Amino acid sequence: MRQELLSLPKTLAEDVAQNLVMVARLIDEDPEQAYAYSRIALRLASRVAAVREAAGFAAYATQKYSEALAEFRAARRMTGHVELWPVMADCERGMGRPERALEMAGAPEVQKLDKASQVEMRLVAAGARRDLGQLDAAIVTLQSPELASNSVQPWTARLRYAYADALLAAGRENEAREWFAKALESDKDGATDASDRLAEMDGVDFVDALDEEQADADLLDEPDTDVAEAADELDSLPDEDEDEDEDEVRADVDADDLDDDFDEAEAEADADKGPADKA
């Protein structure tokens, strides 16, 4: 790639290189952002094969298979290399054309691939067979010297995992479990979820420690129901000072009523007396 970028003006080459670095850095954790950087690089240097290839992988990671295939084809025309053949075939699968992927798996270009790319092509072909509902054919496609080998290569875990998954889909659970275990044994980089698949087959449920911590924190944040209800009841009770004030007001009102009654009775008595009595 460095050699290809040397054909560009220095400032332009630096800008393109920075965008390609961001594509490589983000393509696994944030494919959409990686795709955005690839489009910038593509606008700056669309005639550079490395840029077209990076744009293809970014589109592939975001499942824009038609766009990815176009970029891979452009890169292949520029370089004449065949190493993109398996991923191009997988783009055909992604576009709903498994038959085309199988045609590519039988093309002369496959014989020009290195061992890793040939294994990748075998994985794509098996996937195409499964797309067509041909489970037995998919299993046979994966049965290869690379699968039977005891040596661990970069592709070993993925090949064993694909074989186990195909066996499980065909209802051959005992064999599937054996090959998931073999995939896990060879998966030093965690490229597959073989351990989860084995646990699922054994009926083991894993609880994320972070989820447990969050649940505990939520419980601590939530007030106890009984305490909350008691607090509400206390709030609804009248204040003692308020009760005393109400009693005092009630006593004052009763005293005033008694005084009024006494004054009325005295006035009636005066009205009944004659002039002589009043004197």
Side-chain angles (χ1 to χ4, degrees), residues 238-259:
D239 188 76
E240 292 183 359
D241 293 338
E242 292 179 358
D243 292 344
E244 292 176 358
D245 292 341
E246 290 179 2
D247 292 341
E248 291 177 0
V249 171
R250 191 177 296 109
D252 292 341
V253 171
D254 293 343
D256 291 341
D257 291 341
L258 289 173
D259 291 341

Side-chain angles (χ1 to χ4, degrees), residues 65-83:
Y65 297 116
S66 177
E67 185 177 325
L69 183 58
E71 298 300 340
F72 290 142
R73 284 174 174 169
R76 182 168 178 267
R77 283 195 302 270
M78 292 176 181
T79 63
H81 298 160
V82 296
E83 64 266 15

Side-chain angles (χ1 to χ4, degrees), residues 140-158:
V140 171
T141 300
L142 293 170
Q143 291 172 345
S144 62
E146 294 81 15
L147 180 67
S149 175
N150 291 324
S151 65
V152 176
Q153 302 295 332
W155 61 77
T156 302
R158 293 179 59 242

Side-chain angles (χ1 to χ4, degrees), residues 51-72:
V51 172
R52 304 302 291 264
E53 184 175 329
F57 278 110
Y60 179 81
T62 54
Q63 300 183 4
K64 297 177 177 65
Y65 297 116
S66 177
E67 185 177 325
L69 183 58
E71 298 300 340
F72 290 142

Side-chain angles (χ1 to χ4, degrees), residues 55-176:
F57 278 110
Y60 179 81
T62 54
Q63 300 183 4
K64 297 177 177 65
Y65 297 116
S66 177
E67 185 177 325
L69 183 58
E71 298 300 340
F72 290 142
R73 284 174 174 169
R76 182 168 178 267
R77 283 195 302 270
M78 292 176 181
T79 63
H81 298 160
V82 296
E83 64 266 15
L84 294 174
W85 197 253
V87 71
M88 290 169 63
D90 206 37
C91 285
E92 296 285 0
R93 282 188 62 213
M95 295 166 64
R97 301 191 299 223
E99 297 91 345
R100 175 57 183 153
L102 289 174
E103 289 176 10
M104 294 180 68
E109 284 82 354
V110 176
Q111 303 306 316
K112 301 176 184 179
L113 297 172
D114 60 19
K115 180 62 67 176
S117 295
Q118 287 182 356
V119 172
E120 194 66 33
M121 190 72 249
R122 190 177 293 277
L123 289 169
V124 173
R129 291 293 184 188
R130 292 190 61 174
D131 293 342
L132 295 169
Q134 301 171 1
L135 287 176
D136 291 338
I139 291 171
V140 171
T141 300
L142 293 170
Q143 291 172 345
S144 62
E146 294 81 15
L147 180 67
S149 175
N150 291 324
S151 65
V152 176
Q153 302 295 332
W155 61 77
T156 302
R158 293 179 59 242
L159 183 60
R160 292 175 176 179
Y161 181 93
Y163 188 60
D165 193 47
L167 289 170
L168 185 61
R172 296 160 62 174
E173 294 187 5
N174 292 335
E175 295 174 85

Side-chain angles (χ1 to χ4, degrees), residues 227-240:
V227 173
E229 291 178 355
D232 292 339
E233 291 178 3
L234 287 175
D235 289 339
S236 65
L237 292 175
D239 188 76
E240 292 183 359

